[in-house]
Amino acid sequence: MGGMIRFHNTMGGKVEDFVPIEPGHVKLYTCGPTVYDYPHIGNWRAYVFEDLLKRFLLFRGFKVAHVMNITDVDDKTIRGAQAKGVGLDEYTKPFIEAFGRDRDTLAILPADHYPRATAHIPEMVALVRTLLEKGFAYKKEGSVYFAIDRYPAYGRLSKINLEDRRPGARGDADEYEKESVHDFALWKATKPGEPFWEAEIGPGRPGWHVECSAMSARYLGTTFDIHCGGVDNIFPHHENEIAQSEAANGVKLAHYWLHCHHLIVDGEKMSKSKGNFYALADILAKGYEPSDVRYLLLSTHYRRMLNFTFEALDQARTARQRMGNFLGELKDVAGPAEQTASVEPLIEAARAGFVAGLEDDLNIAEALAAVFTLIKNANPLLVRGAVSKDGAAKLAAFFKEIDTVLAIDPKPEVTASGRIDPTLNVRSAELIHTADALTLEIQEKVAARQKARAERDFARADAIRRELLDMGIVLEDTKDGVRWKKAGPPKG
Ligand SMILES: [Zn+2]
């Protein structure tokens, strides 16, 4: 079933046909949590995107070997443990447990391996030794640094400007800004009060980047198919992973690099000081279902900024419930219909649209649109009683099939009296496009743009159009007025 799968490869910046190294098998590495705090919804956006990717590959019949690291030693975990006056293990344990709990709550398929950095120090030491032996690394004051000058391919992924770097500049921080391209620490000399490991390269502890290079090689081999992360991993983390791995092993680290865009909250960067910082539990405490959150996180294309708002979450819930109520209606179909309409063509069209959408760089808007079109077209048949019990079963089976990818488990919304909530009844008049219901914010922007156009302030009208595009909304001016739709993947 289906055609060629295409993904946007950050390496090269183009959408490419996906061809795995070994036919039928996909080796997938996704950068995992740094367990210095509870995961927040921005983290979950990336993990839900990776889960959609993995589930779609499984749906298409691939076997997927998936590895996700747990970074349990780095600058942040060490700082946190020191501040609390406890050991690293004791400090990271509750965060590792919370990660596993939330992952299961969000119906994210577990990886095959969750290697912990602290359990793979020998692999990291061996990698650093190789880099020293091959001349890509040097020692300085007990630490070992990667010499980016000796690795001419540095910077290909992020396309950073290497000209700005100061020769010989070094940095020990695991995370650093784009402005400061410099040699980075592979192995950090032991400092008072910090955990360290005795090693032939000297007592110390690994840098963050070397952890992923060593553990991906251990579990997936030196070359694998897909490497994922958030856009903020591109530089320096993934750039440095590539440099370490490819310099040491002499082979390409990963064939496809997929990066998911940021999540913002109410149009702003999430931060604890602004009070817009949410862990999954904070949202569930407000009465939402985990699948509402999952639906919202997966329903914006992964390469677009996701603006998390409770309005958007309400819409996600409504969309999911409409699917659920449709399934509830199907259960009510009793016997053979008098004038049975064939539902197979509708199902086939929906499946084709769903698959074609996801094949196109995980164009989830198109995939979901195909599903809601099916509901829209099947609904009048249900109302007329033209769907047989067999037809209803086939429709229900289709939803079960696609839920292996979406994993939102749509269920009818029942009221206290045990009836399907009539306000969400799929037979009600304004049924379907609630998946794309306009938020108040979008409505206001569309109106403001109309006003600007009426006032011939085209610069302002254009600016609003661009703002909407940033929110993933495309406007089309037709002779019947303005239409809008959810944007697919960004071009290029
Ligand atoms: Zn990583």
Side-chain angles (χ1 to χ4, degrees):
M1 170 188 31
M4 187 57 94
I5 297 174
R6 292 165 66 76
F7 292 132
H8 180 271
N9 194 346
T10 308
M11 183 67 84
K14 284 205 276 291
V15 177
E16 297 175 5
D17 288 352
F18 174 64
V19 183
I21 298 162
E22 187 189 335
H25 290 255
V26 179
K27 290 179 176 175
L28 171 68
Y29 187 87
T30 59
C31 284
T34 299
V35 282
Y36 72 105
D37 201 349
Y38 294 103
H40 56 68
I41 49 165
N43 304 131
W44 290 116
R45 192 221 174 163
Y47 304 146
V48 165
F49 142 63
E50 289 154 359
D51 191 54
L52 178 69
L53 167 69
K54 177 173 162 181
R55 283 175 175 272
F56 181 58
L57 290 168
L58 291 168
F59 178 84
R60 284 290 310 269
F62 290 98
K63 287 198 163 59
V64 179
H66 177 202
V67 177
M68 180 184 256
N69 63 293
I70 305 276
T71 294
D72 60 353
V73 53
D74 82 316
D75 295 350
K76 289 181 191 164
T77 45
I78 290 172
R79 268 202 303 271
Q82 283 175 336
K84 231 183 149 190
V86 296
L88 209 48
D89 266 357
E90 189 184 338
Y91 180 72
T92 57
K93 192 167 182 266
F95 305 128
I96 295 173
E97 286 169 355
F99 169 78
R101 243 187 345 259
D102 286 3
R103 176 202 62 210
D104 295 345
T105 302
L106 283 171
I108 293 172
L109 295 174
D112 300 285
H113 298 282
Y114 287 103
R116 286 173 61 163
T118 52
H120 295 79
I121 303 293
E123 286 90 334
M124 297 165 200
V125 170
L127 179 61
V128 175
R129 271 192 58 178
T130 303
L131 289 169
L132 281 166
E133 282 160 17
K134 292 196 171 181
F136 291 107
Y138 59 91
K139 282 188 177 173
K140 182 98 184 169
E141 287 153 15
S143 293
V144 183
Y145 296 89
F146 188 92
I148 59 171
D149 276 341
R150 301 187 205 155
Y151 183 69
Y154 192 86
R156 276 175 308 154
L157 183 73
S158 58
K159 302 190 187 77
I160 41 153
N161 186 1
L162 289 172
E163 262 138 48
D164 297 341
R165 77 189 185 283
R166 285 177 294 125
R170 263 181 306 281
D172 290 300
D174 282 335
E175 289 181 275
Y176 48 89
E177 298 301 318
K178 227 174 179 138
E179 290 70 46
S180 61
V181 182
H182 52 60
D183 293 356
F184 58 91
L186 299 163
W187 187 255
K188 304 187 189 190
T190 177
K191 280 191 207 144
E194 281 196 357
F196 69 96
W197 285 262
E198 290 292 352
E200 61 256 59
I201 51 176
R205 51 118 173 161
W208 169 36
H209 317 296
V210 87
E211 298 178 5
C212 281
S213 282
M215 295 192 289
S216 62
R218 160 79 192 272
Y219 292 95
L220 292 175
T222 48
T223 300
F224 49 91
D225 296 294
I226 306 176
H227 195 313
C228 291
V231 285
D232 46 357
N233 288 146
I234 296 173
F235 186 88
H237 185 50
H238 289 167
E239 199 68 76
N240 292 352
E241 274 188 44
I242 292 170
Q244 298 158 160
S245 294
E246 299 192 2
N249 304 322
V251 292
K252 202 172 179 179
L253 175 60
H255 286 210
Y256 301 89
W257 291 84
L258 273 61
H259 291 101
C260 134
H261 211 306
H262 292 288
L263 176 144
I264 54 174
V265 175
D266 294 325
E268 287 190 88
K269 195 168 188 272
M270 186 165 45
S271 80
K272 283 189 170 162
S273 58
K274 280 188 201 134
N276 66 352
F277 189 95
Y278 296 109
L280 182 60
D282 301 327
I283 298 165
L284 302 185
K286 292 178 190 282
Y288 292 93
E289 294 291 328
S291 44
D292 300 332
V293 180
R294 181 175 168 98
Y295 190 101
L296 176 60
L297 294 182
L298 63 70
S299 61
T300 293
H301 189 263
Y302 75 95
R303 284 197 290 123
R304 291 196 176 276
M305 180 103 75
L306 194 160
N307 186 18
F308 179 93
T309 64
F310 283 97
E311 254 179 341
L313 189 56
D314 287 339
Q315 285 162 20
R317 166 152 67 183
T318 305
R320 193 181 61 78
Q321 287 173 342
R322 304 252 162 166
M323 273 193 215
N325 283 1
F326 180 72
L327 291 176
E329 304 271 344
L330 291 175
K331 280 199 187 119
D332 292 346
V333 173
E338 287 198 359
Q339 278 185 309
T340 307
S342 173
V343 293
E344 277 94 343
L346 299 181
I347 295 173
E348 284 317 309
R351 184 183 287 115
F354 182 79
V355 172
L358 293 174
E359 280 174 350
D360 176 20
D361 191 29
L362 299 177
N363 186 342
I364 186 69
E366 195 186 316
L368 289 173
V371 175
F372 280 98
T373 300
L374 170 67
I375 295 177
K376 183 176 156 188
N377 292 336
N379 195 53
L381 303 178
L382 274 175
V383 174
R384 281 199 345 247
V387 177
S388 67
K389 203 170 162 64
D390 178 55
K394 283 182 175 141
L395 284 163
F398 172 73
F399 278 84
K400 210 167 176 181
E401 178 188 334
I402 59 168
D403 205 51
T404 62
V405 180
L406 301 175
I408 50 169
D409 191 20
K411 284 196 184 77
E413 194 65 11
V414 284
T415 61
S417 64
R419 296 177 61 94
I420 292 176
D421 183 348
T423 63
L424 286 163
N425 194 319
V426 288
R427 288 180 191 173
S428 66
E430 52 74 62
L431 145 74
I432 286 315
H433 284 291
T434 45
D436 301 319
L438 282 172
T439 64
L440 210 54
E441 192 184 1
I442 296 169
Q443 279 172 337
E444 280 167 5
K445 282 191 193 293
V446 171
R449 178 170 167 272
Q450 292 303 90
K451 185 162 173 282
R453 280 164 61 94
E455 290 163 359
R456 306 191 67 76
D457 184 353
F458 296 112
R460 166 136 186 81
D462 247 24
I464 297 171
R465 177 194 277 274
R466 278 195 301 274
E467 280 173 34
L468 282 164
L469 194 59
D470 285 342
M471 296 164 68
I473 300 297
V474 185
L475 297 184
E476 291 172 337
D477 292 305
T478 73
K479 62 177 169 30
D480 303 320
V482 184
R483 289 203 194 145
W484 67 277
K485 61 179 188 185
K486 265 204 167 174
K491 291 278 170 285

